[in-house]
Amino acid sequence: MKQNGYISRLPFLLGAAFVFALLILVSGAPGVHAEDDDKDEKAGQSTYVESVKVTARKREEDLQEVPMSVAAPTEEVLRQRGAQNIEDVAANVAGFNVQNLGPGQSQVAMRGVSAGQIVRDQPGVKEQVGVYLDESVISLSLFTPDIDLFDTSRIEVLRGPQGTLFGSGSLSGTVRYITNQPEIGKDETFGEFNFTSVDGGEFGGDVKLATNMPLGDNSALRVSAYTSSMPGFLDARRPDLQIDRDVNSGDRAGARIALRYEPNENFSITPRIIYQEVEMDGWNRIDDYNILANPFTTTRPAVTLGEREQFTQLEEEFTDEFFLADVTLSYDFGGAELTSVTSYTDRDILVVRDATALTASITGGTLGLAQEVFSLDAPLDDATTAEMFTQELRISGGNDRVEWVGGLFYSTIERDYSQDLLVFGFEDLSGIGTTGLLAPRDTLFFSRLGYDLDQIALFGEANIAITDRFDLTVGGRFYDFEEDRTQVFDGIFGNDNNGTALVETPGSVEADGFVPRVIASFELNDNVRLNAQASQGFRLGGINDPLNVPLCTPEDEITFGGRDTWEDEELWNYEIGAKAKVMGGRGTINVAAFLADITDLQATVTAGSCSSRLVFNVPEAQSQGLEFEFAAAPNENFDFAISASVLEAELKSTITSTDAGGGVSVVSGIQDGNRLPSVPELQVAAAATYQWQMENSWLGYLTLVYQHVGSRFTQIGDQAAGFGTVDLLAFDPSNIGGPLTQSTFTFNPELPSYDLVNLRLGFADGKWDWAFYINNVGDERALLALDQERGTLARVGYLTNQPRTYGVSTRRSF
């Protein structure tokens, strides 16, 4: 039953009430007024950590003065909490989630707005959260690069739609890596060394070095470099039942070189080059059920896998080469500043998956071929190359009453994607012809996809001081997109007319429009600010791949066929929030309640037996919730921070299908009231540090970090009726390893909540910082995402986290 409008918005209304109640409490509480701050400073007492400057609105301002929900953990804070990557950052920020989908593959979500796991063979799907490296866009849907955090000033997390200033892909928020820039006149060098040991796994470590060198009086060079060895911790059972240990190890190395030149006080130019390469030997996946290795077979060896074990027949390699070159020019005219940002990005990604289980479900299950055929190694090579050029030109200025920014943005992206499933020896052993017009011999699936995306936008925003305490921000963005796509499919798995014709589906999509943002900010007193906003975000639509018709059952072909394109996704966000300084300036409280109404949610759907992925537009969905952040340093020895988000993110529409017999059923769990996937209803992070003075200017510190992530679903379809039960007799009479000892296998598609605790003991002076740490103290095995093949008939697995890890790190300033 569809909820009454007021009832469906109850969490948002309760959150707003909480904001107001807290606001009243804080604004009237002792110790928060300006006069108290003065008394504390006169008494010589320490105040809360120095203010953080951010550029969330394309200009520098104090974090607490930004009239919207922004988090900006600094390099020092992230280092204290042991954060190594963007996933660790998300665990420490309310309303921010990163779903681990395998090596080099992650999906970013903000405020519960998520359409489900983007799979590697969906290159046309765009991101819902934009990711930037300083001023340059680096978002690439599933393959947004996980940049090393070394020599990074801070990570800015902008919650809520940022389409006005950051465009498409910032539907529900934006993440910005803000790196340390070259500093003229400053000579410094520092390095980090880290050594780790994973409980039950391998040793790992990294070496990092950065230097800032002045080059005369008007220029400086900054160079950062790093190399990391990432320890493996998962074991792989092979067909001969032998075990290969720690198969998911890998390496990451990179460098960043930036030069700043200021010929005069008004003009600066900063060219930069960044390169990073990641090589992984395997996936952080555990198998719960595998059609080729399970305890139910009687004519194949029965196999029971361990809790950190997978079954594979070959190595699953992953490589990612990321290159970025950009240049930023700035000229100050006195009353206005002109900024130009030009960037070029090149990506080359190869993902190798062991598709033997998937292939066997077809060749051995559907086709009923002999074991010598269906047990052939079946590596699936996914290759992605992408080139992106962007140009932003903006001008900003202002006075005591008005601050403004406006500009023009252009981007062009060429992205090519291919898949090759080469099963060597298949044609000889099976007698089935495999050579297509493009597919070589023994290549059972062959695809070549090309995407050309052009975007141009005009944006602007102005902040107007209506009174001394009341500000109004008004902005908008006009945009125009065009995407052209070519698709070619071949091979017996993707072409029911193999060798005679190709499956070709070229197409184009276009979109243009305007997204506005209005923010009102009221300063109740010197320490409390109330904010409210209404803003819109958008995500470009696209073109679906054709179904793999030769693999589809007649029912699935009816259900999932005829959906050639998907429309733009749009979101309206309404929120109210408060920011306050408390405890005499030694602490801050930030809270926000939000309501996001989503139109045409681009839901990712697995097309059952077809082994295809599609995007369906869900007419209505909604996410609403509350974000809370409290950070304080009560005295010079102790500081702590707590952040939490509570949300309700649900579908508000149902999509049904009518089968050949006239029966009506819900498609892939797309039903009013079902949760939006990949995001928890509750997320909590807390960190506390106690420090004490030691002899000879050394300082000791102890940091404890706690993280709670609530239960989640990976895909909307994971909530479909009957999902979680695998029909082991689906291929009867050709059940692999049959007769089987049971007819079904069950699993819980809802990923359970988990709790992680990290502990860090350190000693620092002016130059050295030594730390001994334990991450995942409780050795929690968290299930991060469900990983399935052929609608669970071939395999059911989970992506998982790193076990308990011991380590020592040191930082040295020269």
Side-chain angles (χ1 to χ4, degrees), residues 55 132 134 151-156 176-180:
T55 52
Y132 282 69
D134 295 308
D151 200 26
T152 297
S153 172
R154 63 189 181 275
I155 305 293
E156 294 185 1
R176 305 180 68 211
Y177 293 83
I178 306 299
T179 62
N180 291 316

Side-chain angles (χ1 to χ4, degrees), residues 29 147 270 272 277 303 340 485 565 715 768:
I147 302 297
T270 308
R272 178 178 63 172
E277 182 175 2
V303 177
S340 170
R485 187 197 72 171
T565 62
Q715 299 273 36
W768 287 95

Side-chain angles (χ1 to χ4, degrees), residues 547 549 551-561 609-610 658-660:
L547 293 176
V549 174
L551 309 183
C552 295
T553 63
E555 295 79 11
D556 283 345
E557 187 174 355
I558 293 173
T559 299
F560 299 104
S609 62
C610 307
T658 303
D659 60 29

Side-chain angles (χ1 to χ4, degrees), residues 54-61 66 68-70 110 127-139 154 156-178 341 388 390-392 394 405 407-411 413 455-461 475-479 481 515-517 519 535-539:
V54 298
T55 52
R57 294 195 291 172
K58 303 273 189 180
R59 61 176 180 271
E60 187 175 281
E61 52 192 331
V66 179
M68 60 185 185
S69 184
V70 179
M110 206 86 74
E127 57 277 355
Q128 290 176 303
V129 175
V131 181
Y132 282 69
L133 185 58
D134 295 308
E135 298 274 8
S136 296
V137 186
I138 59 173
S139 307
R154 63 189 181 275
E156 294 185 1
V157 181
L158 287 57
R159 292 172 288 225
Q162 304 297 324
T164 300
L165 296 181
F166 295 98
S168 176
S170 294
L171 174 90
S172 58
T174 299
V175 179
R176 305 180 68 211
Y177 293 83
I178 306 299
V341 182
M388 175 169 59
T390 68
Q391 174 64 56
E392 178 171 301
R394 67 176 185 266
V405 61
L408 180 69
F409 179 82
Y410 169 77
S411 73
I413 303 172
Q455 169 192 174
I456 189 166
L458 182 67
F459 63 89
E461 190 168 83
R477 187 183 192 96
F478 292 96
Y479 63 89
F481 286 85
V515 289
R517 177 164 74 176
I519 305 174
S535 53
Q536 189 179 22
F538 68 101
R539 180 163 66 141

Side-chain angles (χ1 to χ4, degrees), residues 366-582:
T366 302
L367 301 180
L369 300 178
Q371 177 169 308
E372 65 174 357
V373 180
F374 70 69
S375 60
L376 290 170
D377 287 351
L380 178 62
D381 291 356
D382 289 319
T384 298
T385 60
E387 291 184 87
M388 175 169 59
F389 172 82
T390 68
Q391 174 64 56
E392 178 171 301
L393 188 66
R394 67 176 185 266
I395 187 167
S396 60
N399 51 42
D400 292 341
R401 308 297 295 182
V402 179
E403 292 181 297
W404 53 269
V405 61
L408 180 69
F409 179 82
Y410 169 77
S411 73
T412 180
I413 303 172
E414 293 185 6
R415 182 172 180 175
D416 294 310
Y417 174 77
S418 66
Q419 277 192 322
D420 294 273
L421 179 60
L422 173 61
V423 183
F424 184 75
F426 177 85
E427 187 166 320
D428 287 340
L429 291 175
S430 69
I432 298 174
T434 58
T435 304
L437 295 182
L438 291 177
R441 180 187 174 93
D442 289 333
T443 300
L444 308 189
F445 184 82
F446 174 98
S447 70
R448 296 294 184 268
L449 290 75
Y451 295 84
D452 292 332
L453 175 62
D454 293 311
Q455 169 192 174
I456 189 166
L458 182 67
F459 63 89
E461 190 168 83
N463 183 69
I464 307 167
I466 306 299
T467 70
D468 290 342
R469 292 187 176 272
F470 179 65
D471 292 348
L472 185 66
T473 301
V474 180
R477 187 183 192 96
F478 292 96
Y479 63 89
D480 188 283
F481 286 85
E482 182 175 345
E483 182 179 54
D484 297 318
R485 187 197 72 171
T486 59
Q487 285 188 331
V488 177
F489 292 84
D490 204 7
I492 62 172
F493 282 4
N495 185 355
D496 56 0
N497 198 15
N498 191 56
T500 303
L502 297 172
V503 177
E504 297 183 87
T505 56
S508 298
V509 291
E510 297 179 351
D512 58 70
F514 174 76
V515 289
R517 177 164 74 176
V518 178
I519 305 174
S521 180
F522 183 70
E523 187 179 17
L524 291 183
N525 56 47
D526 291 343
N527 292 290
V528 181
R529 179 180 294 274
L530 176 66
N531 306 309
Q533 75 163 287
S535 53
Q536 189 179 22
F538 68 101
R539 180 163 66 141
L540 188 65
I543 306 167
N544 274 316
D545 295 351
L547 293 176
N548 298 322
V549 174
L551 309 183
C552 295
T553 63
E555 295 79 11
D556 283 345
E557 187 174 355
I558 293 173
T559 299
F560 299 104
R563 300 180 182 271
D564 298 330
T565 62
W566 70 87
E567 302 300 320
D568 297 351
E569 179 178 324
E570 296 183 353
L571 178 149
W572 268 103
N573 173 73
Y574 311 94
E575 68 179 271
I576 184 170
K579 295 187 174 185
K581 297 177 183 178
V582 297

